[in-house]
């Protein structure tokens, strides 16, 4: 698998941390969407594909296993949110 350049942006991650959780509205931490781009074993998606999830929902998502289904069951389009939030961040830079 050819190496892809992943977006790494700690400043952006800090803008996502503390935003309301997309599911329950508690203060969130940055969760990297696993299905947003191709990944290799042990590689996260780029920082441009993060969304805010509180600790409880973050653990719940990983325990559930199928991330796409988990988001659908919670009625959230996380990939769209991540895309739009990254675009807004880029406009401010």
């Amino acid at each position: 698998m050819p190496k892809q350049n992943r977006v790494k942006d700690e400043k952006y991650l800090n803008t996502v941390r503390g935003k309301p959780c997309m599911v329950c509205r508690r203060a969130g931490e940055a969760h990297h969407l696993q299905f947003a781009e191709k990944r290799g074993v042990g590689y996260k998606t780029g920082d441009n594909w993060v969304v805010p999830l509180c600790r409880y929902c973050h653990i719940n998502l990983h325990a559930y296993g199928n991330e796409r289904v988990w988001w659908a069951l919670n009625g959230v389009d996380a990939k769209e949110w991540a895309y739009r939030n990254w675009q807004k961040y880029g406009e401010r830079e």
Side-chain angles (χ1 to χ4, degrees), residues 55-67:
R55 170 59 77 187
Y56 174 79
C57 291
H58 203 167
I59 290 169
N60 184 275
L61 179 150
H62 286 290
Y64 187 80
N66 186 324
E67 187 173 8

Side-chain angles (χ1 to χ4, degrees), residues 20-88:
C21 173
M22 296 185 72
V23 176
C24 71
R25 310 305 292 164
R26 288 181 275 210
E29 54 192 32
H31 166 71
H32 288 80
L33 296 174
Q34 298 176 359
F35 61 91
E37 64 186 3
K38 286 189 175 212
R39 301 176 22 212
V41 174
Y43 289 100
K44 291 182 179 178
T45 56
D47 292 344
N48 54 314
W49 294 111
V50 298
V51 297
L53 279 179
C54 73
R55 170 59 77 187
Y56 174 79
C57 291
H58 203 167
I59 290 169
N60 184 275
L61 179 150
H62 286 290
Y64 187 80
N66 186 324
E67 187 173 8
R68 287 180 194 263
V69 172
W70 189 88
W71 285 110
L73 289 171
N74 283 285
V76 177
D77 188 344
K79 191 172 178 181
E80 180 65 21
W81 187 94
Y83 176 80
R84 287 179 187 254
N85 200 59
W86 176 252
Q87 296 304 312
K88 281 192 254 181

